[in-house]
Each structure stands twice: as C-alpha cells, then as structure tokens.
Amino acid sequence: MYQAIVFLPLIGAIIAGFFGRWIGDRGAQLVTCSLLVVSALLSIIAFFDVALGHGGARIELFTWFDSGDFAASWALRIDTLTAVMLVVVTGVSSLVHIYSVGYMSHDTSIPRFMSYLSLFTFAMLMLVTADNFVQLFFGWEGVGLASYLLIGFWYKKPSANAAAIKAFLVNRVGDFGFALGIFAVFVVFGSLSFDTVFANAPEFVGRNFLFLGQQVDILTTICILLFIGAMGKSAQLGLHTWLPDAMEGPTPVSALIHAATMVTAGVFMVCRCSPLFELSPTALTFVTFIGATTAFFAATVGVAQNDIKRVIAYSTCSQLGYMFFAAGVSAYGAAIFHLFTHAFFKALLFLGAGSVIHAMSDEQDMRNMGGIRKMIPFTYVMMLVGTLALTGVPFFAGFYSKDMIIESAFAAHTDIGEYAFVLGVAAAFLTAFYSWRLIFMTFHGKPRASEAVIHHVHESPAVMTVPLAILAAGAVGAGYLFYDYFVGHHYEEFWRGSLYLAGENVLEAAHHVPLWVKLLPLVMSVSGFALAWALYIKAPDIPGRLAKMHEPIYKFLLNKWYFDEIYDFLLVRPAKYLGLVLWKKGDGETIDGFGPDGVSAVVLDLSRRARKLQSGYLYHYAFAMLIGVAAIATWFMVMGG
Amino acid sequence: MTPALIPSLGPAVPEILLAVAAMALLMVGVFRGNGASNLVGWLSVAALGVAAVLTLGLPGERVLTFSNMFVVDGFARFVKVMVLMSSALAIIMSMNWLDRENINRFEYPLLVLLAALGMAMMVSANDLISLYVGLELQSLSLYVLAAIRRDSAVSTEAGIKYFVLGALASGMLLYGSSLIYGFTGTTNFDALATLFGREGYSASIGLIFGIVFLAAGLAFKVSAVPFHMWTPDVYEGAPTPVTAFFAVAPKIAALALFSRIVLGPFAEMIDQWRQIIVFLAIASMVLGAVAAIVQTNIKRLMAYSSIGHVGYALVGLAAGTEEGVRGLLIYLAIYLAMNVGAFICILAMRRKDGMTEEIRDLAGLAQTRPGMAAALAIFMFSLAGIPPLAGFFGKFYVFVAAVNAGLVGLAVIGVIASVIGAYYYLRIVKIMYFDEPAAEFEAPMSRELGIVVTAAAVFTVLFVLYPSPILDSAAVAAAALVP
C-alpha cells in the first residue's frame, strides 16, 4: 500500500510525460488525476492505520548504495509524522490536479503540466517517507527540480524563466548548507540512516569538531547547516526572495508547491530531525529567531503588496515562520499541526485567488479589482472561509494551530520565546490586516476593472469549485477535529515517538497559560479586521494618504525591505561582473588565447614557414638532405654512439 | 658448403615471373604499338595477380637462395602481397585516365611492373648488394614514371627533381653500405647480425656513420623528414595515377626494407638506430600535420599526409619489438586501402576543361556527387584517425606498441600531431558538405574504379567488425622478422 502511495504519482508522471502525445490532453489529465486520487485515498487509510490505529512500518525497497562504509537503502519510513505528511501531500495534490483540469484548460501543453505536477508529488512523497538523509536529499532536490520546472512552466515568458532560475539559485544556497550538514552527519556518525544517527546523537552532546578552522559544537553545527537547507526550501528570512517571484508559475502550482507542500519540507525536516535539534539549544534558538523574524517581516511586507498572489505568498512565508518558531521552542506538534491546517486554508486561498484571476481574465493586481463578490459568490465565500481560518477566527482551523504556537512560545519562558511571542502576536495583527485588505480590495467596494473585464467575470466551472469546497471543509474542520491528537490529550499515543522531546513538553505548559495570552491573538485578529475595514471600506482614501505621509515606510514595505535590491547589489552584480571578467579576460583572452586560438595561430604560422621552406629549388632540397645527414651524424659523434 | 651451380629458383618464382612478363609484354608493346597499351595493362595486372598468388603459395618458413642474398619469409610474403596488389591497382587506376589525357603509352604498365619487381627484390633482400639492385630498379622505374608526361613542364620537372635527389640518396646509401662493408668485411645481413651479436662487440664511429648514411638513403625513399623535400613537388607535378602509385607501393616496400635492415643485421644495435628512427618519426609526424594545413592543392596535401603517415608507421618501427612491427604492417595495410580510395576520388575530379586539383573545387560535392563525397569523407575521417574507422586502429596499434616499448613521449607527440592533422582532413569534409557547390565534375568514375573505391570504403568502415585476418597475418609476418 505504501509503495502504491509513493509510486502511483511517478507512474502518472511517466505516462503523461512520455506518452502525453499519444493519450492526448484528456488522457493525461485522466491518468494523473485518477492515480493521484487513488494515492490520496490510500494515504487517508494509511493515516488512520498509522496515526490513529497504531500501525507503522519500515519498508525496505532495495539497496541504493553499498560502497565501503557508506550504505544507503531506498526505504519507506512510515510513522505518524510521515502519515500526516502523506495525507497533506496527496490530499492537496489530488485536489490541485483536479483543479488544474479546469484552470489550465486553455493551455497548449497540458500533458507536460500534469506530468510535472505528478513528478513533484512523487518527489515530495519520497522526501516525507525518507528513511535516511540521502533519500531525504533525493526528494529534496526532486521537489526543487519540479518547482523549477513548474515556475518556469510558461517558458516563453522571460519573467517566468527569471523567477525559475532565481528559485533554483536561492535554493542552491540553502541546499549547499543542507548538503554540508549531511556530509557532517556522515563524518560524525558514519551513517546516514535516521535510526542510527538519532540513536547515537546523545553521545555527541557538548563535543567539538573542527569546521572551517574553528572548534565548534558538533550538533549545533550540524543542526544549523541542516536548517540553512530548510531556510532555502521554506523561504525563511534571507533566503525567502524566491518565493514571491515563484508566483510567476500557474496558480495551482503556487497552491500545491509554494503554499501547501514543498515549502513546508523545511518544517518537516526540522521535526524529523527533532532528536538532533533537541540536543542543541543554540540551534533551536537560531531556528526560533529566524522563524519569528520571518513571521513578522513577511507579514509587514504583505501589508503593502498589490498583487493578489504576492500577498498570499508573503502570507505563506510568514506562516512558515510561525511553524519554525514553534519547532524552535520544541512545540513540534504545534508546528506540524499548523503545517497541516495551513495546507488546507492556504491551498484554498491560492486556488480561490486562482479562481478570481480566472474570472478577471488573468488580472492579478488588486487595485484593478473590487466589487466582484456578487458576480462570483462561491469563490467569495471560499476566500472568506480561507481568510477566517488564516486569521485565526475561533473554530476555524487556523485558530487552533496558530494560537497553540503563540501560546507555546509564551509558555517556553525563555528570552527567545518571549521574542517569538511578541513578534508572533504582532504578525497575527498584520496577518488579519492584510488578509482582510485582500478580501476588501478584491471583492468589496466599487469595481475598478474595465467594462470589458467586468462584463466577462464568471464563476469557475465545477471542476475548479469542487476542490475548493473540499479544501474549505478542511479549513473549517481540520483544526477542531485533530486538535486533541496533534497537540492535545492524545499527543503521546498519536505521535508515538516520531517527534522527540528532550525536556518537558512545552505543549502541556501551553495549555495552562494565562487567559490574556489565550485571548491576545483573537484580539489582534479582530483589530486587524477592524483596521482593514476602517481603511478599505469606511474611508478608502486614507491608505493613499497614509502612504504619502509615511512615504519612506511605505516604500520600504512595498519594496520588501529592499532585500532584492541588496542582494542584487551585494551578490548578483558582483557575480555577473566576475563572470564577465572570467569570460572575457579569463576564458576569451587567457584560455582561448593561449589554448585553442593560440595553438592554432602557432600551428598556422609554422605551416606557413614550412611552406616557405619548400622553395622548389633542387639545391635547397639537396642541401636539406645533407644537413639532415650531417645533423644525425653529429648527434652520434657528440653522444658517442 | 659449396654453392650449387644453379641456385634454387623456387623462392624467387614470383620475381622471375614478373621479370619474364615485363620483357614479354615489352615485346607485345613494341610490335603492336600504343594501340595495345590497354591489353598490355590488363596483362600486367594479370601478371601481378599471378605473382601475388604465387607469393602466397610460397612456404611460410625462412628460405635463403642466390648465395644467401635473397630471402623469403612470412614478412616478405605479407609485404610483397601488399606491394603487388597496390601496383596492380595503380595500373587499373591509370588506364582510363591515361586514355583521356592522351598519354596512353604501353610503357606505363611495364614501368609499374618493373618497379614492382624492384620492390619485391627490395623486400626480399638479404644482402646490401641485392638491396641496392632492387632499390635502383624500383627507383629508375619511378623516375621515368614521374616524368611520363613528357610534354608537360611540371611533370618533367618532377621527374628531374626526383631523379637528381634520388641519385643523391642512392649515393648516400651506397656510401653507407661501403662504410659498413669497410668496417665489418661483409655485406650479408646474416653475417652482419652474427658479427654484431658477438659478445662485447662495440660499434666503431665509422660503422655508425655507415648506418647513418644507409638510414638517410632509406629515409629518402620513405620520404621521412628531413629527406622529404622532393615529395610535395613530385606528388604535385607527376600525373595523378603516378602520384597514387608513389604514395602507396614504394612507401610500403621501402618501409619493409627499412624494417628488415634495422631488425635484421642491426638488431643488436637498437640503441643507435632507434635514435634515428625516433627523430625521423617525430619530424615526419609534426611536419606532415603542420605543413599540410596551408595547402590548397589536394595532391600536395596528400603528399604531406603521406609524410605524416610514414611518421606514424615509423613509430611502430621505433618500438623495435614484434608488436611494433605488427603495428607497422597493420598500419601499412590500412594505409593502402585508405590512400587508394582517396586517390581514386581525386582522379575523379575532372571538369570539361581538364583535371582540377584545387581543394576548393570540392566545395558542395555532397550535393552534386553524394556518393563520391561520402566515400571521400570516409577516407578523410579514417586518415585523420577517427574511430571506429580503420585509420584509428592503424594508429592505435603503433602507439600501443610504442608505449609498451617505453616510448611514451613519442606516442604522445604522435597523438598531438594527429590532432593537428585532423584539421586539414576535416576541412575537406567541411568543404564538401557545408560549402556552396562549385561547378559540377564530369561524368562519374569508371565501373572498375567504382568497385575499387567502394571496396576500399567498405574495408575502412567495417575493419572494426572483422579485423582478425589482417591482424593475424600481420602477427605472423612480424613474428618472422623479429626472432
């Protein structure tokens, strides 16, 4: 069964990718969607079996490497953590597959798209079922590849290509850290199998090794290196710049890869490696710091964005920050719980946004929207549900998971926990503000689009709305239904050791925080809503004036804290300049000059000289022969035979 | 043992046949005039064919006759068959062509026949005197062949140049021989080998000078640098079929003779002659590769090409081992096929206003004459030594032999030279396939030549699949020469 879950998408990808020409658009859609749905149904069974029914397995597929000390297998590690991820990945993926049938109906290369989606799903499943670091890395790179292919799916659009390359390069930075981390694990533990590494980790607490010429703590170094990989993949502060640009890809891709699944791989990895992270308080502090800062930073940027997808992208970035600081304060359950609920409501928001974009004839700028709630009421309701869940309105999914995270940060009673708590609460306010701003700008007020576009606005077909409804159900119910399992009373029996804790369970403490802490996120959420309402419904001229009045701040936010500009100045331009120098001077003048071009010039010159020797005069020729004999004879006289 | 009154003629039957046939056909020609030249030509081919068959029928082991001046062994058989075959092909290649150029004289096939006889003698020589006789017979025939187009200034110039320089080379060879005789008291190869093989024998400087002069004379015949200067001029000036003949048969015979001398009588003096051969090989490979690049005349280009190829063949000889000789023989067999094929293509470069020899005239041949272009491309790729064509294996075996003999540097230089050389071969392919077509060539080549060129191309391409006949017989031949 587990094999089927993982490999059905691969089969779908192969069929659609290589035989798409023969089976046609419809065939490719049918094959990939049905295989994915089967995989999703099996995942749900697996979830009940493993997470709720105490099953679990480790399935060895075959040996991958066996070279000297280094051995690695292809194996599926099925525990609760994996089962949760299986449900998230296959569930969202199958819905996105189906949604894509409608969304991409006008595209000219549907089989390719469906194939990429399935390929991505396979890679993501390999990642979450990994039994060792190598397989994890395989999946890690696989999703990176699929992400690259899908961001650049419309490869005729220069901006899409640029975004794809950017995503790939930024991820490369993270992956470099990740790979170094894996190397370090192998050097230290002599194995890459999770079981071996985790079992031996406690021996290395407090020990040092030489890294970059410095004596550093082994586990802290490994964890931070691994976390750098997570930062790249999960778009955390510093390595986040690719995610907003990745919105150049088709919207279903944004929903699947850049909201629900791939970007959460970092969170998953940190939780999977909790036995390592738990042993290094320094690394956890680092994780918390980055997570909390990202949560706040991305929320502030989201406030000033005008592109509907970019707002949601920054929101994703921010929510990922929440998950990380939850993990950082050892509330892994809360992190995964938020990952779980977030997958539903963020995919819902993205697909809803896709529906809006579809309806608005590919318009993405919210300033050109407005007042369309009556025209696409279903989409409007869906977006509302997503927003309510995201902003943490009681009884919606986000309420349970996000509040749990904020409470955990408070309950950690550490300095960094305080930091995360404050930023988390502030971010909750901003989240509510930008989410409602999105709703108000898009659906309320007066239509700002042209007559022709407004005239054309229409509700999406059922193939797109049904997945929305299913996700909406998840966004409403996932939090309430699974609260006890993920972070509540059934915590122990649900996770059964797949999340490791070194000390007290912070989640226990989180249940007993003061009432004001419990209420604070809700208050923030409501105030955010109120402010958004005031600014965008009550007095829509205020935001413009505010922006004018505080131009520097507005610009700062609009330009995303100038991260892109700084990187461009510090890295991109020097790299380009270096490349230019190496190309023109290094390659062109030095290597080509002394290498191929130089050699050929010398040869040509010699050739011309040789031709000149060939004068045509007999006595020259005879002279050459005599010189030759004389030279050889002299040689022997000098060398003495 | 007193020498028999009448020496055993058995081992020399092919040579005797060639001599008799040449004289008989001369009579036919004299009495029937030039009208019979085609008849004489075909009969000469038949004589060469019969001689080749007879050669194959000779016993495999080493047989001496004519007072030990004449030797037949596996090596001689292998080389003689190649020489006779290429001579026969040279006659076939020429007949049609001579007709068109109005120089179809019956002397032509006879001269080739006599040259073949001389070459066969060279290959079987076991004495400095019989060596010289064979060599001169061959050389004198070739001088005349080069100048056979008497009314053409270029052709006569080529003949004269070849004659004068050849005479100089012969003089050197004779001078070397006399020095050797003077310092050893014998001209017989076996006796020399015994002498040098004696314990504690150290060569005097005079003897080494003798070897140097002898080697210089032979190097002229194989056109190794720096004794190559005549080659481009003679190749360009001589009529094309003659050039084709020059490029193959005499090269094979002279290289075989070279091998027999250095590995026979002078086998014990390997340290001395190896230095000469290594020098000749390097100089030839490099010059052959470099100088060909700026050539615009395809016959001159083939001249430098042959200089280069002699260099590669000498690499095998420089190894001085059985493996090296085997590589050399394989190289020569493959070289024969490639060169005959390439020259047939060059012979087909004819327009209404006569022959053309400029490389640029091949432009766009792939469009006007796809078959010929494909064949020529195969030969060029093979000459450049690009796998999996036969030319690659020729180079491969000699380089391997050199490496195994410890001459790594020589092999490396050879590889570099063949990279440089690849340029001009590939340039021809490029011109044929990618340039705008030049004026079309006249009617296609004759049927006989079509068959030969196809056979050569097939051999070149398919050698990789079934190389064992050549490899095995070359191994047998090499084993006969290197004890």
Side-chain angles (χ1 to χ4, degrees), chain A residues 183-400:
Chain A
F183 301 157
V185 166
F186 183 70
V187 167
V188 172
F189 295 95
S191 166
L192 287 173
S193 156
F194 286 148
D195 289 332
T196 321
V197 172
F198 296 161
N200 294 325
E203 288 175 31
F204 292 93
V205 174
R207 283 167 60 179
N208 290 343
F209 72 161
L210 196 69
F211 180 75
L212 294 178
Q214 307 283 321
Q215 281 294 332
V216 288
D217 187 76
I218 293 177
L219 290 174
T220 303
T221 311
I222 289 176
C223 289
I224 287 179
L225 285 172
L226 292 176
F227 180 65
I228 288 172
M231 283 169 66
K233 193 92 356 200
S234 298
Q236 292 302 287
L237 192 66
L239 299 178
H240 67 281
T241 51
W242 65 272
L243 183 61
D245 287 17
M247 297 302 131
E248 288 291 343
T251 307
V253 171
S254 311
L256 175 63
I257 300 185
H258 307 119
T261 56
M262 183 186 85
V263 289
T264 62
V267 181
F268 166 79
M269 192 270 289
V270 170
C271 292
R272 173 59 85 204
C273 297
S274 52
L276 291 178
F277 280 86
E278 276 297 286
L279 298 173
S280 169
T282 318
L284 283 179
T285 306
F286 183 66
V287 172
T288 314
F289 174 76
I290 292 288
T293 313
T294 309
F296 177 73
F297 150 77
T300 59
V301 175
V303 166
Q305 297 304 308
N306 291 315
D307 183 310
I308 186 169
K309 284 178 72 182
R310 279 177 181 258
V311 174
I312 310 178
Y314 276 104
S315 164
T316 305
C317 199
S318 165
Q319 298 302 311
L320 290 165
Y322 274 102
M323 297 176 209
F324 275 114
F325 80 69
V329 297
S330 299
Y332 301 104
I336 294 293
F337 190 31
H338 196 53
L339 188 163
F340 183 68
T341 57
H342 175 259
F344 288 105
F345 60 71
K346 192 50 66 67
L348 175 63
L349 280 172
F350 260 121
L351 294 184
S355 184
V356 170
I357 295 165
H358 200 65
M360 297 290 290
S361 314
D362 292 334
E363 176 61 61
Q364 298 199 10
D365 194 330
M366 295 192 296
R367 285 170 298 189
N368 298 330
M369 295 180 180
I372 54 172
R373 69 177 183 279
K374 299 241 171 59
M375 289 170 250
I376 45 173
F378 182 80
T379 305
Y380 174 59
V381 172
M382 290 298 117
M383 290 292 277
L384 267 187
V385 171
T387 303
L388 290 170
L390 172 62
T391 54
V393 170
F395 311 115
F396 285 87
F399 168 73
Y400 295 97

Side-chain angles (χ1 to χ4, degrees), chain A residues 497-511:
Chain A
S498 58
L499 299 176
Y500 176 81
L501 282 176
E504 288 290 299
N505 188 349
V506 72
L507 291 170
E508 274 308 311
H511 291 302

